[in-house]
Amino acid sequence: MCGIVAYIGPGEAYPVLIKGLKRLEYRGYDSAGIALMNGTMNIYKQQGKVADLENYLTDKPVNGNIGMGHTRWATHGVPNNVNAHPHLSQSGDLAVIHNGIIENYATLKEGMVLRGHTFESDTDTEVLIHLIEDVMQHTNLSLQDAVRAALKQVVGAYAIVIMSKNHPEHLIAARKGSPLVVGIGNSKGEYYLASDAT
Ligand code: GLU
């Protein structure tokens, strides 16, 4: 289990994410990735160190007031750029970062493959974000309620943060058995999420 940092507020998210991910490096990890909301959702991920991700981003747009960052310690799928987080739902609308393990991911995946889902990575995490979208498509639930309903089907431990292109002003977070804390910023509407209270 590795690191999560997320920011929503009036400031720029990117510097907060990079600083936070560097402070979480002591936990060990094999890859790093971020998602930033700026009209559209930009996702960048790299195997290796946070500094490798930073170098990769020198000529990329990194502005946005909402963002989430992840360092991965692979449990399902080898360490590489594809298996690094964030992961996308089938439509590409939803993105997730996740610390932990979805124990029943294989059963959930099997069901969704039969319903036409295709998966890019070997991770348990990608199954989770597909499941959330699947629930939304088969019910009239809001994103927030679909996350709750999907998590009821999940066996395992998780701290997750979700971003949605269709809800560009929101971050959704949940945890069970993996740490995740919410910090309230100094400015109005400013919040932080992190997998380590310090
Ligand atoms: N089980 C997930 C994976 O292998 C998350 C690992 C983590 O906590 O970093 O991608």
Side-chain angles (χ1 to χ4, degrees):
M1 276 181 217
C2 259
I4 284 181
V5 185
Y7 175 84
I8 183 165
E12 284 296 316
Y14 179 66
V16 176
L17 302 185
I18 289 295
K19 191 172 169 195
L21 290 179
K22 285 187 173 165
R23 286 177 71 174
L24 290 167
E25 282 190 303
Y26 76 93
R27 293 159 69 111
Y29 65 103
D30 54 61
S31 47
I34 58 170
L36 291 161
M37 193 64 83
N38 168 33
T40 176
M41 188 162 67
N42 289 318
I43 291 190
Y44 308 108
K45 43 197 203 172
Q46 283 289 300
Q47 185 183 350
K49 296 286 161 202
V50 176
D52 297 322
L53 179 68
E54 242 184 322
N55 286 339
Y56 170 68
L57 292 177
T58 45
D59 58 349
K60 310 264 186 318
V62 290
N63 45 324
N65 304 115
I66 300 181
M68 57 188 191
H70 184 260
T71 47
R72 175 176 189 239
W73 185 286
T75 63
H76 293 67
V78 298
N80 62 24
N81 290 351
V82 175
N83 287 335
H85 301 206
H87 289 287
L88 292 173
S89 61
Q90 181 71 36
S91 74
D93 172 51
L94 304 176
V96 69
I97 54 174
H98 163 226
N99 281 167
I101 292 176
I102 309 299
E103 285 167 24
N104 59 337
Y105 84 101
T107 320
L108 295 169
K109 189 172 183 175
E110 241 174 68
M112 287 188 283
V113 167
L114 291 176
R115 293 197 289 282
H117 287 247
T118 51
F119 293 87
E120 292 191 350
S121 78
D122 301 317
T123 63
D124 49 341
T125 304
E126 191 184 9
V127 174
L128 177 59
I129 198 66
H130 276 241
L131 178 67
I132 292 166
E133 188 165 80
D134 197 61
V135 169
M136 282 183 89
Q137 284 166 352
H138 291 91
T139 60
N140 283 326
L141 295 178
S142 65
L143 172 58
Q144 219 169 314
D145 288 338
V147 171
R148 283 198 185 95
L151 289 176
K152 286 199 178 122
Q153 298 183 47
V154 161
V155 180
Y158 50 81
I160 56 168
V161 186
I162 292 169
M163 282 168 54
S164 161
K165 285 184 195 166
N166 288 329
H167 303 79
E169 68 294 352
H170 288 133
L171 279 177
I172 292 187
R175 66 169 286 267
K176 182 185 172 193
S178 298
L180 192 67
V181 289
V182 182
I184 302 172
N186 290 326
S187 308
K188 196 169 177 279
E190 186 172 52
Y191 297 92
Y192 298 82
L193 289 162
S195 56
D196 184 328
T198 59

